[in-house]
Amino acid sequence: MTGLETWIIEQGLSGSSIGTLLTGFAERLSEEGIPLARAYIALPTVNPTIRVFNHTWIHQSGTVVEGISHERNQEAFEISPFGFMLREGLSERHWRFDRSNATEFAIFDEIRSLGGTDYLGHLVRFENAGAPDLRGIAVSFSSLREGGLTPEELARIAGLMPLLSLAAYRIGLFDLTVGMLDTYVGLSAGRRVLSGEIRRGSGATVTAALLFADLRGFTALADQAGAPLIARLDEHLEAMAAPVVAEGGEILKFLGDGLLATFAIDEGRSHDAACAAALQAAVAALELNAAVNVAYPDAMPLSLDIALHSGDVFYGNIGAGSRLDFTVIGPAVNEVSRMEALCGALDCALIMSATVAAASPLPVRSLGPHRLRGVPVERELFTLT
């Protein structure tokens, strides 16, 4: 076993980046005397916005990673060398540019501009019923040498493909796991789960600014359930979520037609800074939600109600033994939800507690003391002037 095989195995065991895997593989092949112009790995993923990640190594400039969306040029694979190989049932194909080829592809011109003289494609299938969309990887290499890769070099690369594919598969599965946890349980919660906080009741008390948002009037439209309503709801939820992310907050969960988000108060962000970020997110969400309503002039507008509060909450695993939810509970969560319920009665789209109002960078006015359900003492509430 050579140094390259050993290095690939190490990447398969502990590597965390397909880009690093490709870069090291291409550079080490070049050090062995195989002069490469370009190397490429495409790895499909399971992601709500990204269909496949393209990793391209170029001898002059290194590796670039590009995520391709589900909507972008879905026919690109079909008209590529890999699409041709798939239709022909080929796992390997070598095109030399100094010979007349029956097929010509747009990527060949790009490779020629880099000094490449051929194109070697490999398709490696992953047969895994548990992850059917992670179907395999597409790998290609192009040589700088006149006449392209030699038979010995083709055999060398073919012999390395099982190891390279296994390493890419393991890293790809890890990326898929992280991506799914980030998407479905949130960035912080996902990292906590991967770090081993998986037992029921495990967690910690944290201090945060809380944002609770809900669409007023959506229940009246619920009988119209269907794709058009879901598509519109997604736009309203995006209007709420995007400002939260932009201001450094985390969406803990979507609650039907609303969401609960936190802005951590810690060494990196003071109480006042977290409250200000939550307020800025709320103001932006109200503006974006209004724009969504304008886009549906013939439909009933859906007003957005938002409440802001801060305090200590328990952040951890809650639920049954076989089905857990990583979320926050505590008096502060109860209060912010009760505050949001008063938005209609007080005719205010945005209500904040005294702790948030005291940190507001924008002028506020008092709404007076109010009784919150389940809270023994009246709370003075505020809104923007």
Side-chain angles (χ1 to χ4, degrees), residues 174-197:
F174 178 78
D175 289 344
L176 183 151
T177 301
V178 172
M180 287 298 95
L181 285 172
D182 288 348
T183 299
Y184 285 99
V185 304
L187 183 62
S188 176
R191 295 302 188 271
R192 287 170 180 260
V193 170
L194 286 175
S195 297
E197 292 188 33

Side-chain angles (χ1 to χ4, degrees), residues 23 25 52 54 61 74 91 99 156 171 180 205 210 251 287 324 338 350:
T23 300
F25 186 77
V52 63
N54 290 339
S61 55
Q74 297 187 31
S91 60
R99 295 178 179 175
R156 172 63 170 154
I171 295 171
M180 287 298 95
T205 298
L210 305 175
I251 300 163
E287 294 175 352
L324 299 175
R338 304 293 188 257
L350 175 61

Side-chain angles (χ1 to χ4, degrees), residues 294-308:
V294 170
Y296 291 88
D298 299 325
M300 184 182 80
L302 295 174
S303 300
L304 179 60
D305 293 335
I306 299 178
L308 303 175

Side-chain angles (χ1 to χ4, degrees), residues 30 34 43 50-51 65 68 85 142 161 230 258 310 364 379:
S30 298
I34 303 177
L43 188 72
I50 303 298
R51 172 169 48 92
V65 180
I68 306 299
M85 292 170 61
S142 297
M161 286 308 300
I230 294 300
S310 67
V364 301
R379 302 294 195 196

